[in-house]
PDB file of all heavy atoms in Angstrom:
ATOM      1  N   ARG M  49    -105.832 153.941 -91.529  1.00 92.00           N
ATOM      2  CA  ARG M  49    -105.611 153.471 -90.161  1.00 92.00           C
ATOM      3  C   ARG M  49    -104.317 152.691 -89.998  1.00 92.00           C
ATOM      4  O   ARG M  49    -103.916 152.367 -88.892  1.00 92.00           O
ATOM      5  CB  ARG M  49    -106.793 152.600 -89.739  1.00 92.00           C
ATOM      6  CG  ARG M  49    -108.113 153.368 -89.651  1.00 92.00           C
ATOM      7  CD  ARG M  49    -109.294 152.434 -89.549  1.00 92.00           C
ATOM      8  NE  ARG M  49    -109.255 151.637 -88.334  1.00 92.00           N
ATOM      9  CZ  ARG M  49    -110.055 150.597 -88.126  1.00 92.00           C
ATOM     10  NH1 ARG M  49    -110.929 150.222 -89.054  1.00 92.00           N
ATOM     11  NH2 ARG M  49    -109.981 149.925 -86.988  1.00 92.00           N
ATOM     12  N   SER M  50    -103.678 152.362 -91.122  1.00 93.00           N
ATOM     13  CA  SER M  50    -102.440 151.593 -91.055  1.00 93.00           C
ATOM     14  C   SER M  50    -101.262 152.482 -91.404  1.00 93.00           C
ATOM     15  O   SER M  50    -101.303 153.226 -92.386  1.00 93.00           O
ATOM     16  CB  SER M  50    -102.503 150.412 -92.025  1.00 93.00           C
ATOM     17  OG  SER M  50    -101.226 149.834 -92.184  1.00 93.00           O
ATOM     18  N   VAL M  51    -100.230 152.389 -90.604  1.00 95.00           N
ATOM     19  CA  VAL M  51     -98.979 153.091 -90.880  1.00 95.00           C
ATOM     20  C   VAL M  51     -97.843 152.090 -90.802  1.00 95.00           C
ATOM     21  O   VAL M  51     -97.708 151.365 -89.813  1.00 95.00           O
ATOM     22  CB  VAL M  51     -98.736 154.234 -89.877  1.00 95.00           C
ATOM     23  CG1 VAL M  51     -97.345 154.836 -90.097  1.00 95.00           C
ATOM     24  CG2 VAL M  51     -99.799 155.315 -90.026  1.00 95.00           C
ATOM     25  N   SER M  52     -97.042 152.061 -91.853  1.00 95.00           N
ATOM     26  CA  SER M  52     -95.876 151.180 -91.894  1.00 95.00           C
ATOM     27  C   SER M  52     -94.626 152.031 -92.014  1.00 95.00           C
ATOM     28  O   SER M  52     -94.653 153.118 -92.591  1.00 95.00           O
ATOM     29  CB  SER M  52     -95.950 150.225 -93.087  1.00 95.00           C
ATOM     30  OG  SER M  52     -97.081 149.402 -93.001  1.00 95.00           O
ATOM     31  N   TRP M  53     -93.529 151.501 -91.511  1.00 97.00           N
ATOM     32  CA  TRP M  53     -92.245 152.195 -91.577  1.00 97.00           C
ATOM     33  C   TRP M  53     -91.235 151.314 -92.312  1.00 97.00           C
ATOM     34  O   TRP M  53     -91.186 150.090 -92.111  1.00 97.00           O
ATOM     35  CB  TRP M  53     -91.716 152.491 -90.172  1.00 97.00           C
ATOM     36  CG  TRP M  53     -92.486 153.543 -89.439  1.00 97.00           C
ATOM     37  CD1 TRP M  53     -93.582 153.367 -88.644  1.00 97.00           C
ATOM     38  CD2 TRP M  53     -92.189 154.946 -89.412  1.00 97.00           C
ATOM     39  NE1 TRP M  53     -93.997 154.575 -88.138  1.00 97.00           N
ATOM     40  CE2 TRP M  53     -93.156 155.555 -88.589  1.00 97.00           C
ATOM     41  CE3 TRP M  53     -91.194 155.738 -89.984  1.00 97.00           C
ATOM     42  CZ2 TRP M  53     -93.161 156.927 -88.332  1.00 97.00           C
ATOM     43  CZ3 TRP M  53     -91.190 157.095 -89.734  1.00 97.00           C
ATOM     44  CH2 TRP M  53     -92.174 157.684 -88.919  1.00 97.00           C
ATOM     45  N   TYR M  54     -90.425 151.964 -93.145  1.00 97.00           N
ATOM     46  CA  TYR M  54     -89.380 151.284 -93.895  1.00 97.00           C
ATOM     47  C   TYR M  54     -88.070 152.059 -93.754  1.00 97.00           C
ATOM     48  O   TYR M  54     -88.073 153.279 -93.644  1.00 97.00           O
ATOM     49  CB  TYR M  54     -89.728 151.203 -95.381  1.00 97.00           C
ATOM     50  CG  TYR M  54     -90.897 150.312 -95.711  1.00 97.00           C
ATOM     51  CD1 TYR M  54     -92.201 150.765 -95.578  1.00 97.00           C
ATOM     52  CD2 TYR M  54     -90.703 149.013 -96.156  1.00 97.00           C
ATOM     53  CE1 TYR M  54     -93.286 149.949 -95.872  1.00 97.00           C
ATOM     54  CE2 TYR M  54     -91.775 148.187 -96.469  1.00 97.00           C
ATOM     55  CZ  TYR M  54     -93.062 148.663 -96.317  1.00 97.00           C
ATOM     56  OH  TYR M  54     -94.122 147.845 -96.634  1.00 97.00           O
ATOM     57  N   GLN M  55     -86.986 151.318 -93.807  1.00 98.00           N
ATOM     58  CA  GLN M  55     -85.661 151.919 -93.819  1.00 98.00           C
ATOM     59  C   GLN M  55     -85.057 151.717 -95.207  1.00 98.00           C
ATOM     60  O   GLN M  55     -85.105 150.615 -95.750  1.00 98.00           O
ATOM     61  CB  GLN M  55     -84.760 151.253 -92.778  1.00 98.00           C
ATOM     62  CG  GLN M  55     -83.365 151.847 -92.697  1.00 98.00           C
ATOM     63  CD  GLN M  55     -82.392 150.943 -91.950  1.00 98.00           C
ATOM     64  OE1 GLN M  55     -82.116 149.827 -92.378  1.00 98.00           O
ATOM     65  NE2 GLN M  55     -81.870 151.423 -90.827  1.00 98.00           N
ATOM     66  N   GLN M  56     -84.509 152.772 -95.778  1.00 97.00           N
ATOM     67  CA  GLN M  56     -83.873 152.674 -97.086  1.00 97.00           C
ATOM     68  C   GLN M  56     -82.407 153.062 -96.985  1.00 97.00           C
ATOM     69  O   GLN M  56     -82.081 154.188 -96.581  1.00 97.00           O
ATOM     70  CB  GLN M  56     -84.573 153.560 -98.121  1.00 97.00           C
ATOM     71  CG  GLN M  56     -84.011 153.400 -99.529  1.00 97.00           C
ATOM     72  CD  GLN M  56     -84.721 154.249-100.568  1.00 97.00           C
ATOM     73  OE1 GLN M  56     -85.401 155.217-100.246  1.00 97.00           O
ATOM     74  NE2 GLN M  56     -84.582 153.875-101.824  1.00 97.00           N
TER      75      GLN M  56
END
Side-chain angles (χ1 to χ4, degrees):
Chain M
R49 295 167 63 191
S50 167
V51 173
S52 299
W53 289 89
Y54 292 82
Q55 182 196 63
Q56 185 179 19

